[in-house]
């Protein structure tokens, strides 16, 4: 999730995405791998309508290894 968060943060900083955009907009950038990332985001409690800023603001991810 850290990789995704860093990529999305970079896209926000470059102006490709806006912090107020819905997380679902990431789907356009990830194509075939979107199903995986969508499931990961939902597992962490995100809804696709949530603003991207909520994803960028996460300070630590508790991932099972």
């Amino acid at each position: 999730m850290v990789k995704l968060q860093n990529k999305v943060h970079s896209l926000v900083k470059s102006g490709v995405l806006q912090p107020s955009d819905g997380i679902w907009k990431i789907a356009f950038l990830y194509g075939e791998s979107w199903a995986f990332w969508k499931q990961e985001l939902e597992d962490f409690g995100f809804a696709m309508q949530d603003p991207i800023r909520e994803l960028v603001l996460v300070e630590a991810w508790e991932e099972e290894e």
Side-chain angles (χ1 to χ4, degrees):
M1 286 303 294
V2 173
K3 287 174 94 175
L4 176 66
Q5 182 185 34
N6 288 338
K7 177 70 173 171
V8 169
H9 182 71
S10 175
L11 293 168
V12 169
K13 286 179 74 172
S14 69
V16 173
L17 294 172
Q18 299 299 314
S20 59
D21 288 343
I23 288 176
W24 61 268
K25 283 195 174 182
I26 300 169
F28 296 117
L29 304 169
Y30 280 90
E32 292 181 15
S33 64
W34 174 242
F36 169 79
W37 288 114
K38 180 181 178 192
Q39 186 60 54
E40 288 288 305
L41 288 163
E42 288 173 342
D43 288 348
F44 278 101
F46 288 99
M48 295 304 101
Q49 297 78 19
D50 290 342
I52 286 175
R53 81 172 64 83
E54 291 185 21
L55 172 62
V56 173
L57 291 176
V58 174
E59 292 184 17
W61 297 97
E62 293 184 26
E63 297 185 62
E64 294 180 17
E65 295 188 36

